[in-house]
Structure formats: C-alpha cells, structure tokens
C-alpha cells in the first residue's frame, strides 16, 4: 500500500508547477508552443497610439464621473433609508409604549369607576369617594368621574353629614362647565338642602 501511494505521488505534477508565474512572456511562450506560430503584432503609428490613449483617458473620465454620480445619489438614499428605519423603529416603540400606557390608564380608570359604583350601591360612600378620586388622578377633566364624585359627596352630605362644602364646590364647578345639565342641578339641590 505504501508503495502504491508513493507511485501515485510520483505521477502527480510537482507543487511548484501549480504556482508557476503567469507573466506575459510565459503566456506568449505557451501560445507559441501550442499554436506553433508567433504572435502577429501590428505596429501602430504614433497618431493611432495618441488616439487610443485619448479614448482610454476619456473612458476613464466617464467611468469616474459615473462613479461620482452613483456615489452622490447612493449615499443620501442609503442615509435616508437608515434614518427612516431608525425613526420608524424608535417612534413605533415609543408610540407602542404610549399606547400601552394609555390603555393601562383607561383600564385602571374603568376599574376605579366600577368599583366606586359598587361601593355607592352598598352605601359605603367614603370608599366610593376614594375610588372616584383615584379615577380623577388618571383623567382629571373627565365629566363622568367628576359627576360621580359629586354624587358620592351628596350622599355623604345627606346621610353622614360630611363633606358638604367640598361637594358643593365640586358641583358648582361642574355647573359652571355644564349649565344645562339637570343631574348636576339635582345634586346641587341636595347640598343646598343638607349643607345648611
């Protein structure tokens, strides 16, 4: 087996032949050897050489100009694409965060309102006031939370004889904002009657 391997190795060309330099002279010699003839070079006149040189220079200038134009167009486009990608990514995550915070606040707000309503039905007016105040911390200008808080204050004033002044101020503020609302006028009448 060793003899076979050695013989196969001898059949393979030398490694140095793989890396034989391929210069112009070597290629010319290989062509002459294969074709059995020599290269047929035509001599160019100085005018022809000058014309060829001018064509090559003009071609290189054209290629350089095209390259500069491509670079001038490509770099701003790539920069704009990166900016838009970054901008949409950052703002979309920011919008998503803002939307999730808003949705969470709305969910908490609805919980406080419903919990306040259930305390109001159970006639635990202090707890109802507490829950409505929590809802107002999330959305201070919301009419429903302000109205329900005024309603809870009216029940506290009517049955517990407490918070009549606070309820009257809140009802007055709501009446100034919504002068035609009859429910606010009914609540105000409770404060007028029981608050004295």
């Amino acid at each position: 087996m060793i003899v076979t391997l050695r013989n196969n190795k001898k059949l393979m060309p030398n490694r140095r032949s793989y890396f034989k330099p391929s210069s112009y002279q070597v290629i010319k010699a290989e062509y002459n050897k294969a074709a059995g003839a020599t290269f047929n070079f035509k001599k160019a006149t100085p005018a022809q050489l000058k014309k060829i040189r001018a064509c090559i220079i003009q071609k290189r200038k054209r290629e350089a100009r095209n390259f500069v134009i491509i670079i001038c167009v490509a770099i701003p486009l790539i920069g704009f694409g990166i900016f838009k990608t970054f901008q949409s990514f950052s703002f979309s995550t920011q919008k998503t965060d803002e939307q999730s915070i808003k949705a969470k606040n709305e969910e908490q707000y609805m919980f406080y309102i419903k919990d306040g309503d259930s305390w109001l039905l159970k006639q635990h007016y202090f707890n109802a006031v507490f829950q409505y105040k929590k809802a107002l911390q999330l959305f201070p200008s919301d009419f429903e939370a302000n109205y329900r808080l005024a309603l809870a204050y009216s029940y506290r004033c009517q049955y517990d004889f407490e918070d009549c002044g606070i309820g009257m101020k809140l009802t007055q503020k709501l009446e100034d904002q919504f002068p035609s609302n009859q429910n606010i006028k009914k609540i105000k009448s409770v404060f007028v009657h029981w608050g004295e």
Side-chain angles (χ1 to χ4, degrees):
M1 182 177 198
I2 293 174
V3 173
T4 306
L5 288 173
R6 196 176 296 142
N7 289 337
N8 286 343
K9 189 174 181 182
K10 287 179 184 176
L11 288 174
M12 291 183 66
N14 193 359
R15 266 190 202 174
R16 288 185 205 149
S17 66
Y18 290 128
F19 303 107
K20 189 168 34 171
S22 57
S23 67
Y24 172 75
Q25 296 299 330
V26 173
I27 293 171
K28 180 180 174 185
E30 286 178 1
Y31 177 78
N32 285 339
K33 191 176 188 182
T38 60
F39 283 115
N40 187 9
F41 289 117
K42 294 182 179 178
K43 294 285 183 184
T45 64
Q48 288 175 332
L49 289 175
K50 195 173 185 182
K51 185 177 179 183
I52 291 170
R53 183 177 177 168
C55 287
I56 290 172
I57 290 172
Q58 187 179 10
K59 183 179 176 186
R60 286 183 183 169
K61 284 182 181 179
R62 194 176 324 117
E63 288 174 353
R65 188 178 14 184
N66 289 344
F67 179 74
V68 168
I69 290 172
I70 289 171
I71 291 297
C72 289
V73 169
I75 288 178
L77 286 177
I78 290 170
F80 182 72
I82 290 171
F83 172 74
K84 278 299 191 182
T85 302
F86 176 73
Q87 183 183 23
S88 65
F89 174 74
S90 66
F91 288 140
S92 66
T93 56
Q94 192 176 31
K95 286 179 183 176
T96 305
D97 291 344
E98 289 173 3
Q99 290 171 348
S100 64
I101 290 171
K102 187 176 179 182
K104 185 179 177 185
N105 285 348
E106 288 175 358
E107 186 178 318
Q108 285 180 336
Y109 171 80
M110 291 308 296
F111 168 76
Y112 291 139
I113 293 292
K114 287 179 184 177
D115 198 38
D117 291 346
S118 66
W119 285 116
L120 206 61
L121 290 174
K122 294 175 188 174
Q123 297 179 352
H124 292 272
Y125 307 120
F126 180 79
N127 293 344
V129 166
F130 180 78
Q131 292 298 74
Y132 294 141
K133 282 183 178 179
K134 291 286 237 180
L136 281 173
Q137 286 176 353
L138 295 173
F139 298 103
S141 60
D142 185 61
F143 172 77
E144 285 297 319
N146 279 303
Y147 171 74
R148 290 170 192 228
L149 181 62
L151 186 65
Y153 277 137
S154 72
Y155 287 133
R156 282 202 72 183
C157 179
Q158 188 175 359
Y159 297 111
D160 298 337
F161 305 108
E162 295 179 3
D163 295 332
C164 295
I166 298 171
M168 185 64 172
K169 286 180 186 176
L170 179 62
T171 307
Q172 189 63 43
K173 179 180 146 188
L174 285 174
E175 189 178 35
D176 292 343
Q177 290 177 349
F178 306 97
S180 61
N181 194 319
Q182 295 300 318
N183 293 331
I184 296 172
K185 291 181 180 181
K186 288 178 186 175
I187 293 174
K188 186 177 180 182
S189 66
V190 169
F191 289 119
V192 168
H193 178 71
W194 293 98
E196 294 179 350

